[in-house]
Amino acid sequence: MTETPGSPDLNLDLELDLTVALTHAPGGPEHVFVLVSRSGQLVESTLPDPAAAIAAVGRFGERIFFPEPGPPKLCTQQYGGPQVAVVTGTFNGRDVNSRFSLTDGCEIARWRALSPLLGGVAGSSGAI
């Protein structure tokens, strides 16, 4: 994987213990997936492509799980679907409790960045 200027650094020394609780619609069944890695090496996973999930979390996880405070974001008003994912656990020793949805352009972008962890978005290849 090559880095382009301005892209986030790839974190290869990941210590992950993440649980993803995904629902496709309000009141629908919850699907639970786990991803555990030590020093970037897969220990346990119930995801379809754990290597891609580790790569996506390594590339975008720090920025998405622990965003820096800043000015309000302007997001496009578009709706991507009723799916909701809640990610809990630890990322390099830091507690994670993040909610993802497809309610506007900013949320869709967050989901797409971690799509190997959360699942693809309609109209998206899931590639990062």
Side-chain angles (χ1 to χ4, degrees):
M1 180 182 298
T2 60
E3 290 297 308
T4 57
S7 65
D9 292 330
L10 187 60
N11 183 346
L12 298 176
D13 256 350
L14 289 175
E15 298 289 328
L16 301 175
D17 190 345
L18 300 174
T19 300
V20 179
L22 175 67
T23 55
H24 291 287
E30 182 177 81
H31 305 279
V32 178
F33 302 94
V34 297
L35 179 65
V36 179
S37 76
R38 299 289 176 256
S39 299
Q41 298 300 308
L42 181 65
V43 173
E44 177 185 359
S45 177
T46 55
L47 292 166
D49 189 351
I54 290 171
V57 171
R59 186 170 182 192
F60 299 109
E62 182 84 22
R63 185 168 38 120
I64 290 178
F65 294 143
F66 313 107
E68 294 288 325
K73 294 180 180 160
L74 298 176
C75 303
T76 58
Q77 296 302 301
Q78 62 190 76
Y79 181 68
Q83 297 88 342
V84 172
V86 176
V87 179
T88 57
T90 58
F91 174 94
N92 288 339
R94 295 175 69 184
D95 288 338
V96 172
N97 188 353
S98 296
R99 184 181 186 278
F100 296 84
S101 65
L102 301 169
T103 55
D104 63 36
C106 294
E107 288 296 309
I108 292 169
R110 288 177 70 230
W111 190 296
R112 284 187 175 164
L114 293 181
S115 62
L117 179 69
L118 306 176
V121 178
S124 170
S125 68
I128 55 173

